[in-house]
Every structure is written in C-alpha cells, then in structure tokens.
Amino acid sequence: MNAVYINGAACISVQDTLNKDFIYHLKPEKSVQVLKAIEPNYKELIPPALIRRMSKTVKMSSMASHYALKEAKVEVPDAIIIGTGMGCSQDSEKFLKNVIDNHEEFLTPTHFIQSTHNTVSGQIALALQCHAYNFTYVNHSSSLEFSLLDAKLQINDNEASSVLVGSTDEQTERTMELYRLNDTIKKEANLPVDYLNSSTDGVIWGEGASFFVIEKEKKENSYAQLIDIQITNKIEINIVPTFIEDFLAKNKLTRNDIDVVMLGFSGDSKSDTYYTKVMDLFSNSELLYYKHLSGEFNTASGFSTFMACHILKHQEIPEVMMINHLKKDKIEHILLYNQFGGNDHSLILLRKA
C-alpha cells in the first residue's frame, strides 16, 4: 500500500490541546483516579438548542472534527470513519436508568436513538451534509487503528481522496463506579502513580476525542505520512520483539531507522511489562510515554497519534514525555506501540511529511 498524508489534526483531551501553544503547557496527572477532558466553548460552533441534546462525546467530536477539517482546508470529506471503544455511553446509561425508574413504561426515545455507537459519525455527517461512506469501528482499544487502516485502504483503492478519521470516548458515572469495583481504575491508596515503575494494578482513566484528515496528496501544512498499521489481539510477551521487527521489515526499515518510539505506559504493572520489553529493542531511539498526560481509555492512541503528528511537523519533543534523554538531530520516523491490559496490540508507523 502507498503512504498517505495526515493533513489535519485536532484533539480535545485532558490537556488544553486546542490551544496553539499547548505543547509548552503539558501537565502530568498522577494523583486522580479519573481525569476529565478540558472542554471548549461549544457555543462558538454548535447552536445552543443542539448542544442540550448532545452527549459529551458527540460535542467533543463535532468540535475536533471541525478544527481538523478547517486545518486541512477540506469542506466535505469523501468518507467519515470513527473509532470508539465505549460509544455514546452517557445516553446509554440515561436510557437504561429511565427504563428502571419508569418500570419500562412511558419511555422517551431520544436517549435510545442517540445511544448507538454510530451516533457520532452520523451527527458529523448531518452537520456537513456529507452523504458519502460513513463507518464506525467498535474494536475496544484498537478502534482508531482499524479506522486508520480503513481510511488508508479507501484512498489506496481510489474510493476517496480525503477521509475524516476520528477516535472518541467519554466517561460515565456508572461505568466509572464499575471500573473502580473491578480494579480497572487504580485504588486511591496506590496514588500517585509512577507510570514507568508501577508495582500496582489498575490505571488512571481519561477521555477525549482526536480527529485527523487523511489525504492522498501532500500539502504545505501536512503533519506526517501514515506509512502502515499493524493490529493483533493477543501476543505472548516474548514474541513482541519479533512482532515489531517483522512489521519494520515489511516496511523496509530496521530498529535503527526509528528515531522516536512512543509507548503507552499506563501505570498497570501487569500490562506495562510489554512496553519494558520493547524498550530494550530501541537503544538508539528516543523513548516517549504519554498516558500520564491523557489517562488510559479505549482510544487513548488517538492522543499519542496527535502528539506524534506535532512532533514530526515541529521537530520538537516535550521534555515531560521523555523516558530517556537521547537527542536526535532530525526526527524522520516515529513508531507508536499501544495495548490495553495485555490485549489489542497495535503499531502505527509515521514518517515526516
């Protein structure tokens, strides 16, 4: 497959990532169980009457997609592809609560209609009057990667020349309660988290929406080339080096060609061992981590992809992300490796545009 270009990128996250100078104001979050996204003033783009009926993930996605399209100078994309792990869970919870509270009678359909996972892609399409290919991937923590892969195929097969790709996940009160009960979220007694040397299980949970405009042609404002994506559900820890080296070999690269490796250390002692294994492979690369800035959630790799785009375009790495302090004169290739609880392993390879 041919490489395609990321020509627009926007992110709403725990950090103030809509701010132009956000890269200089990144703050690690290590002492809170659940992190909330910094939400913009939605009234700038969305009519107040619509805002009231939108869940948080729809609002975040509508804003992030607008800024990504504006940056790429694309009015209406040829396809809209969204990845989400939890979908519109706020509306799902509201609907189920109404079912219980009203004893399954006199239910309004609004929350049910808006609770489907493809609500986000549908709302964006309606706002843009886009009648083209519209798809939503719900593949847990590899949802964004499947979306990027689909977008790449759409462009390589000449089905589209510009594709809006997004990833989004929101928090809900009941789900967070359940995650605390089953120890997905770190216990308060185990805070603050040492992300790189954690000895306890569980994560700090986050949320956010990251959107990208993928196109066939390079532009003046291009962020990066999207070279390849690799996804596998389960893999033994001793096979991870082979998994990565085979992926690089497929793209005619070696470990020494990778300038930056971005790893998804989440503070979960069980699953972070995968990343520790990878660190040994890349002694000549700058090693970065990011979930101390975004929190862990199903589409947290959207935040890392957004950060990688900025690093490639501006050739600048925030010190708060550094694991080692190796300095490269020029950043040409970035490899992103993510997994969630030992499952859904993904690799994203980006090159400077």
Side-chain angles (χ1 to χ4, degrees), residues 153-314:
L153 289 168
Q154 292 287 326
I155 292 173
N156 286 161
D157 291 342
N158 295 315
E159 296 290 333
S161 59
S162 64
V163 181
L164 177 67
V165 177
S167 63
T168 181
D169 274 300
E170 65 186 0
Q171 297 164 359
T172 55
E173 190 176 332
R174 181 58 179 155
T175 303
M176 294 304 101
E177 287 175 6
L178 294 172
Y179 279 178
R180 285 186 176 95
L181 285 172
N182 72 0
D183 295 334
T184 295
I185 291 175
K186 221 174 253 299
K187 294 183 184 299
E188 279 196 27
N190 295 328
L191 299 175
V193 182
D194 182 351
Y195 276 83
L196 298 178
N197 302 289
S198 177
S199 59
T200 58
D201 298 341
V203 301
I204 288 178
W205 201 261
E207 62 181 353
S210 302
F211 276 73
F212 310 92
V213 177
I214 314 295
E215 294 187 280
K216 194 170 192 173
E217 304 297 332
K218 180 182 175 181
K219 294 181 177 177
E220 285 183 16
N221 61 332
S222 293
Y223 279 94
Q225 279 182 281
L226 175 60
I227 304 299
D228 202 1
I229 304 112
Q230 184 83 19
I231 306 157
T232 187
N233 178 239
K234 290 186 182 291
I235 189 170
E236 295 295 329
I237 192 166
N238 59 317
I239 306 298
V240 170
T242 306
F243 171 61
I244 291 175
E245 289 185 319
D246 287 350
F247 173 71
L248 295 176
K250 186 178 77 168
N251 291 286
K252 298 181 173 57
L253 295 170
T254 67
R255 286 179 281 171
N256 293 326
D257 294 315
I258 304 301
D259 302 299
V260 172
V261 180
M262 202 175 290
L263 302 168
F265 278 99
S266 64
D268 177 55
S269 59
K270 284 182 182 176
S271 58
D272 279 352
T273 51
Y274 283 95
Y275 301 124
T276 307
K277 189 80 172 175
V278 172
M279 286 171 64
D280 298 334
L281 278 178
F282 294 97
S283 56
N284 295 319
S285 304
E286 293 191 51
L287 302 176
L288 309 182
Y289 70 127
Y290 62 92
K291 285 178 184 171
H292 61 310
L293 303 173
S294 67
E296 174 69 288
F297 55 103
N298 290 309
T299 50
S301 56
F303 181 84
S304 67
T305 305
F306 175 76
M307 292 303 303
C309 285
H310 274 269
I311 289 169
L312 282 169
K313 186 173 184 176
H314 302 295

Side-chain angles (χ1 to χ4, degrees), residues 40-48 51 63:
N41 181 9
Y42 295 120
K43 291 179 183 177
E44 290 179 3
L45 292 173
I46 308 169
I51 291 174
M63 289 291 278

Side-chain angles (χ1 to χ4, degrees), residues 312-326:
L312 282 169
K313 186 173 184 176
H314 302 295
Q315 296 288 296
E316 188 175 3
I317 296 176
E319 193 168 336
V320 71
M321 296 179 71
M322 294 178 182
I323 297 175
N324 61 0
H325 290 276
L326 186 71

Side-chain angles (χ1 to χ4, degrees), residues 95-108:
F95 175 71
L96 292 172
K97 188 175 186 300
N98 284 341
V99 171
I100 295 166
D101 292 347
N102 295 307
H103 307 289
E104 302 181 24
E105 296 178 339
F106 313 115
L107 300 172
T108 56

